[in-house]
Amino acid sequence: MSFFGNVQLAPPVAVFKLSADFRADENPQKINLGVGAYRDDDGKPWVLPVVSKVEKQIASDSSLNHEYLPIKGLPEFCEAATKLALGDSKTISEGRAAGVQTLSGTGALRLAADFLFQTFPAETTVLYSNPTWGNHLDIFKRAGFKNLAPYSYWSGDIKAADISKFVSDLQSAPDRSIILFHSCAHNPTGADPSAEQWNQLAEVVRAKNHFPIFDTAYQGFASGDPDKDAAALRSFADAGFEMMICQSFAKNFGLYNERCGNLVTITQTSQILDNVRSQQELIVRANYSNPPAHGARIVANVLNTPDLASEWRQNIKQMSDRIDLMRNELRGRLEKLGTPGQWNHITDQIGMFSFTGLNPDQCNFLKNERSCYLMSNGRISMAGLNSKNIDYFAQCVDEAVRKIQ
Amino acid sequence: MSFFGNVQLAPPVAVFKLSADFRADENPKKINLGVGAYRDDDGKPWVLPVVSKVEKQIALDSSLNHEYLPIKGLPEFCDAATKLALGESKCVSEDRAAGVQTLSGTGALRLAADFLFQTFPAETTVLYSNPTWGNHLDIFKRAGFKNLAPYSYWSGDIKAADVSKFVSDLEAAPDRSIILFHSCAHNPTGADPSAEQWEQLAQVVRAKNHFPIFDTAYQGFASGNPDKDAAALRSFADAGFEMMICQSFAKNFGLYNERCGNLVTITQTAQILDNVRSQQELIVRANYSNPPAHGARIVSTVLNTPELNAEWRQNIKEMSDRIDLMRNELRSRLEKLGTPGQWNHVTDQIGMFSFTGLNPDQCNFLKNERSCYLMSNGRISMAGLNSKNIDYFAQCVDEAVRKIQ
């Protein structure tokens, strides 16, 4: 009799199921618009030239070894990552803001969730955007939170974020709730608040004593400029909030599989920060002891070497520009085809994704009948489009919109 | 008013505090016998030559990119790691045994604990050796287990494992308890059961329907031969047990900081294994999404390439031989000095550590007065000894034993 006879087969993770179906499809015109990983104009993964260069340096550097990193990670990485997020914010020089190296963005979110669950009252509400990245809910649930609630965000009517509804949901939430913000390039909608709207959000956060966490997975991808993309982070930090920032280097360094991230915590005093970080260390220790070096070494090297840092910024701009080009090209084609509906949201939206507004039936048609693989909420990864497939995709969208309601 | 005003400063992790004190010590004769990481005869970290070679290959291989690994990890790594543990065991070819890539041994233990906690009754007892690696308890506690209990293991009287007491503790435990075994090179005692004793243990596990987990952090270090060191694993697997194996490649590949491990689960049927692994995937997804590639690529390349594999086995033998040499050298010096007590345990014990039998006062003397840094339970990492420092250490031990009782 097995110990595991009652264990259920879990449903596959949607975005990976999509990729698996894509791989199995033999249609030469197939397009994968699912997972948010950058692709070049040939539809291929792109290792950033600056990353490739540094990896070769690391491999031939005989002064490096594989001794355990500190539990909180590679110090020069954490400092550089924190500085990338917060710039010259006083919080850093005052010793009130610092980073713990994590397993990419997911790991930062989970460390944040685990720490907050052991620190905040168990019934604390965690608010997440409607819609949001699917894994957000799973992470906070696994950490123990029972009260999770969506805040209004995407409005299908205006095909944009309805910030006034967002603000009122934060207003009606219990005081001292945890609010999961996307600092830029919102996933999946691509709709970001304006600077003014961020100020409105800051006001209600302050009034309600909420605790903000910023998921920062796309810094550099929103505008092509990492500092511009960090505006909301720096604004909240300078306004004196205690907060957390969950940074991922998967996308902006193309280091998806090396799991490189950073959890920044900002507190009122540096003593409190030391206490907080010591508790975060214990959480890390009982999870995986200490983080993996390879990705952090690459990022640290690049960010801390002026020529490499500017080369990196050029690499990011290259990715961001190609995505912008695809946005323009897709919108241009749909408008030229006279596809029913408005299509300005495609160029209004920011970052890796576009929330097309296609409904589940239309999405299924695209997937099953036309080999265009996208998420059933209508999200497409813009990086999956290129000069070779964009005509086909635009035609398919046109067909789907006309044929299916 | 801070959200975190009540957060306590956590005590530092003992073994890292020891290393920090060591680093701060200015005594040129200082010796670090704390953390279990291999050192060469000059007291320096040692990057395995085969690892260094493969890292250069990987950095130059333009066919490689950094796309996400599957949630369960790099398949060729998991297959090779599982085969390293289980050899030609039928359970592998019958698809009843397979691995999930994890964040080194700690990550494998935590994934095992998280999965077992959601699968077994909440009140299930987890039994761990007395003494054991400190982090074992923290891992299982954080996963949610409330009933943790030690099983008798080390006997100070005989300076060895008292396996008959071990067996009776397993007998007295509730049925269907989880038993945390060390498959070889027990940490911290270095005392391993004989093949016959493993049979006795298997008998009581079967009679009581216990679930065995094997912490396998030192495969290759016990005898110098990885297959010999896997004897207990293969014996249990072939006896038909459902079980888990938590593998670390930190020590036997010197890849401490790349966090490379594997969790093998063996179940009664292939279908059950699929169900189990699908649930393990969900746990991973909400923790860190998918594992880091670098370490797994290195291990996979080595294990799957015959010449590299043979070179690796030589590298392991070199480490294991040097440790054995230090054991012999230490024992003979103590016997030559006529240091009171028996010292055969220093050579009887196996693997990275020796449980010297020194008491906390003697350990403090060694640390504070003689700059010999060891754990207060008397554990020394043999790799910290070398031809340059062994005379000094032997003299200090002799002094401690004579001066302090």
Side-chain angles (χ1 to χ4, degrees):
Chain A
M1 178 89 185
S2 172
F3 283 98
F4 306 114
N6 291 332
V7 173
Q8 300 299 307
L9 184 69
V13 174
V15 70
F16 297 128
K17 170 82 169 59
L18 193 74
S19 286
D21 291 345
F22 169 81
R23 277 191 300 272
D25 188 329
E26 295 179 343
N27 182 348
Q29 294 198 286
K30 65 182 181 179
I31 309 177
N32 189 352
L33 300 160
V35 78
Y38 180 78
R39 293 284 176 270
D40 65 14
D41 196 59
D42 294 309
K44 300 265 175 279
W46 192 57
V47 177
L48 273 61
V50 72
V51 166
S52 193
K53 179 190 303 192
V54 169
E55 285 192 286
K56 291 175 173 69
Q57 282 172 15
I58 287 174
S60 34
D61 185 349
S62 54
S63 75
L64 292 175
N65 58 43
H66 287 294
E67 293 301 293
Y68 290 119
L69 288 184
I71 300 176
K72 297 198 289 287
L74 186 67
E76 51 267 38
F77 163 76
C78 297
E79 284 160 23
T82 302
K83 189 170 203 313
L84 181 69
L86 293 173
D88 291 319
S89 175
K90 284 194 307 27
T91 54
I92 298 180
S93 52
E94 289 169 359
R96 302 196 292 112
V100 171
Q101 184 185 337
T102 57
L103 298 159
S104 209
T106 307
L109 287 159
R110 183 58 184 268
L111 178 56
D114 282 341
F115 172 71
L116 291 171
F117 187 70
Q118 80 179 30
T119 311
F120 277 44
E123 67 276 7
T124 300
T125 305
V126 179
L127 285 100
Y128 57 90
S129 73
N130 185 7
T132 195
W133 181 47
N135 208 13
H136 278 156
L137 276 79
D138 294 316
I139 292 167
F140 279 82
K141 278 186 195 164
R142 289 260 179 192
F145 286 98
K146 300 268 181 284
N147 289 334
L148 292 105
Y151 56 76
S152 303
Y153 197 72
W154 175 255
S155 160
D157 296 341
I158 58 176
K159 287 212 185 65
D162 187 333
I163 301 295
S164 56
K165 279 196 174 162
F166 184 179
V167 169
S168 21
D169 284 352
L170 294 192
Q171 184 61 43
S172 48
D175 280 9
R176 302 172 77 87
S177 292
I178 293 168
I179 317 297
L180 193 40
F181 291 105
H182 298 228
S183 53
C184 68
H186 184 275
N187 176 8
T189 70
D192 287 348
S194 66
E196 216 167 80
Q197 289 171 330
W198 276 118
N199 285 333
Q200 293 167 28
L201 291 163
E203 270 179 45
V204 65
V205 167
R206 192 186 295 290
K208 296 285 295 180
N209 235 332
H210 289 326
F211 183 81
I213 306 180
F214 291 88
D215 187 347
T216 304
Y218 298 97
Q219 187 182 358
F221 267 95
S223 68
D225 177 347
D227 294 304
K228 260 187 87 181
D229 290 354
L233 296 175
R234 297 173 188 189
S235 161
F236 269 72
D238 291 341
F241 286 98
E242 286 188 318
M243 54 190 262
M244 284 177 166
I245 304 170
C246 301
Q247 291 174 282
S248 166
F249 292 93
K251 282 85 174 167
N252 57 14
F253 265 79
L255 284 171
Y256 307 94
N257 73 9
E258 302 294 358
R259 316 314 291 133
C260 186
N262 188 49
L263 173 64
V264 180
T265 307
I266 307 181
T267 55
Q268 275 191 6
T269 73
S270 56
Q271 177 62 63
I272 289 175
L273 186 65
D274 285 346
N275 298 347
V276 163
R277 282 156 63 74
S278 74
Q279 294 294 336
Q280 290 170 347
E281 266 189 315
L282 293 190
I283 293 170
V284 168
R285 170 86 172 152
N287 192 356
Y288 50 88
S289 279
N290 42 73
H294 191 66
R297 279 175 162 162
I298 295 168
V299 174
N301 238 292
V302 171
L303 293 181
N304 290 323
T305 312
D307 324 306
L308 297 179
S310 36
E311 190 177 340
W312 169 63
R313 283 163 188 264
Q314 283 170 11
N315 289 172
I316 285 200
K317 190 88 177 41
Q318 186 175 332
M319 292 191 283
S320 168
D321 283 353
R322 199 185 81 69
I323 286 172
D324 282 346
L325 178 63
M326 291 301 105
R327 288 188 181 280
N328 285 320
E329 296 280 297
L330 179 59
R331 174 181 175 183
R333 275 164 180 69
L334 292 173
E335 288 175 346
K336 195 160 181 196
L337 287 167
T339 310
Q342 296 293 105
W343 298 103
N344 53 285
H345 55 285
I346 293 185
T347 50
D348 292 343
Q349 285 160 4
I350 296 167
M352 185 80 81
F353 303 110
S354 173
F355 224 41
T356 55
L358 295 166
N359 65 41
D361 291 329
Q362 293 164 336
C363 293
N364 279 336
F365 169 80
L366 284 169
K367 190 157 63 99
N368 301 330
E369 309 296 330
R370 295 290 175 264
S371 298
C372 295
Y373 289 78
L374 72 162
M375 302 299 283
S376 54
N377 60 6
R379 183 191 89 168
I380 58 173
S381 174
M382 293 308 300
L385 293 173
N386 55 58
S387 60
K388 288 88 176 163
N389 64 22
I390 195 156
D391 283 326
Y392 176 67
F393 183 64
Q395 283 159 23
C396 293
V397 170
D398 184 80
E399 191 184 356
V401 170
R402 292 180 193 278
K403 266 187 166 165
I404 297 160
Q405 270 75 50
Chain B
M1 178 86 185
S2 172
F3 283 98
F4 307 115
N6 291 332
V7 173
Q8 300 299 307
L9 184 70
V13 175
V15 70
F16 297 127
K17 171 82 170 56
L18 194 74
S19 286
D21 291 345
F22 169 80
R23 277 191 300 271
D25 189 330
E26 295 179 345
N27 182 348
K29 288 202 187 182
K30 65 183 180 179
I31 309 178
N32 189 353
L33 299 160
V35 79
Y38 181 77
R39 293 286 176 269
D40 65 13
D41 196 60
D42 294 309
K44 300 264 175 279
W46 192 56
V47 177
L48 274 60
V50 73
V51 166
S52 195
K53 179 191 303 194
V54 170
E55 283 192 288
K56 290 176 171 68
Q57 281 174 17
I58 286 174
L60 296 170
D61 186 348
S62 54
S63 75
L64 292 177
N65 58 42
H66 287 294
E67 293 301 292
Y68 290 119
L69 288 184
I71 301 175
K72 296 198 289 288
L74 186 66
E76 50 267 39
F77 162 76
C78 297
D79 291 344
T82 302
K83 189 171 202 311
L84 180 68
L86 292 174
E88 301 299 320
S89 180
K90 279 195 313 16
C91 55
V92 176
S93 55
E94 287 170 0
D95 295 325
R96 299 192 296 109
V100 170
Q101 183 184 338
T102 58
L103 298 159
S104 209
T106 306
L109 286 158
R110 183 58 183 269
L111 178 56
D114 282 341
F115 172 72
L116 291 171
F117 187 71
Q118 80 180 28
T119 311
F120 278 43
E123 68 276 6
T124 300
T125 306
V126 179
L127 284 102
Y128 57 90
S129 72
N130 184 7
T132 194
W133 181 47
N135 207 12
H136 277 156
L137 277 80
D138 294 317
I139 292 168
F140 280 81
K141 277 187 196 165
R142 289 261 178 192
F145 286 97
K146 300 269 182 282
N147 289 334
L148 293 106
Y151 54 77
S152 303
Y153 196 72
W154 175 256
S155 160
D157 297 339
I158 57 177
K159 286 213 185 64
D162 188 333
V163 180
S164 58
K165 278 195 175 162
F166 183 0
V167 169
S168 11
D169 284 351
L170 294 193
E171 181 64 46
D175 281 8
R176 301 171 76 86
S177 292
I178 294 167
I179 317 296
L180 193 40
F181 291 104
H182 298 227
S183 53
C184 68
H186 184 274
N187 176 7
T189 70
D192 288 348
S194 65
E196 217 167 77
Q197 288 170 330
W198 277 117
E199 290 299 321
Q200 294 167 26
L201 290 163
Q203 270 181 41
V204 65
V205 167
R206 191 186 295 293
K208 296 285 295 181
N209 235 331
H210 289 326
F211 183 80
I213 306 179
F214 291 87
D215 187 345
T216 303
Y218 298 98
Q219 187 180 358
F221 268 94
S223 68
N225 178 325
D227 295 302
K228 258 187 90 183
D229 290 354
L233 296 175
R234 296 172 189 190
S235 162
F236 269 71
D238 292 341
F241 286 98
E242 286 187 318
M243 55 190 262
M244 284 176 166
I245 304 170
C246 302
Q247 290 174 282
S248 166
F249 292 93
K251 282 86 172 165
N252 58 14
F253 265 80
L255 284 172
Y256 307 93
N257 72 9
E258 302 294 357
R259 318 312 292 131
C260 185
N262 188 50
L263 172 65
V264 180
T265 306
I266 308 181
T267 56
Q268 276 191 5
T269 71
Q271 179 62 65
I272 290 175
L273 187 63
D274 284 347
N275 297 345
V276 163
R277 281 155 64 75
S278 74
Q279 294 293 335
Q280 290 170 347
E281 265 188 317
L282 294 189
I283 293 171
V284 168
R285 170 88 171 152
N287 192 357
Y288 50 87
S289 279
N290 42 72
H294 192 66
R297 280 176 162 162
I298 295 167
V299 174
S300 170
T301 303
V302 171
L303 292 182
N304 289 318
T305 312
E307 316 91 70
L308 297 178
N309 194 321
E311 189 177 341
W312 169 64
R313 284 163 188 262
Q314 283 170 9
N315 289 172
I316 286 199
K317 190 88 177 40
E318 184 174 334
M319 292 191 282
S320 169
D321 283 352
R322 198 185 83 68
I323 286 172
D324 281 347
L325 178 64
M326 290 301 105
R327 287 187 181 282
N328 286 321
E329 296 281 295
L330 179 61
R331 174 181 174 182
S332 64
R333 275 166 179 67
L334 293 173
E335 288 174 348
K336 197 164 179 190
L337 287 166
T339 310
Q342 297 293 106
W343 296 102
N344 53 286
H345 56 284
V346 172
T347 52
D348 292 342
Q349 287 159 3
I350 296 167
M352 185 79 81
F353 303 109
S354 173
F355 224 41
T356 55
L358 295 166
N359 65 41
D361 292 329
Q362 292 164 337
C363 294
N364 278 337
F365 169 80
L366 285 169
K367 190 158 63 101
N368 301 329
E369 309 295 330
R370 294 290 174 267
S371 298
C372 296
Y373 288 79
L374 73 163
M375 301 299 284
S376 55
N377 60 6
R379 182 190 89 168
I380 58 172
S381 174
M382 294 306 303
L385 292 173
N386 55 59
S387 59
K388 289 86 177 166
N389 64 22
I390 195 157
D391 282 327
Y392 175 67
F393 183 65
Q395 283 158 21
C396 292
V397 170
D398 183 79
E399 192 185 357
V401 171
R402 291 179 193 279
K403 266 187 171 169
I404 297 162
Q405 269 75 48

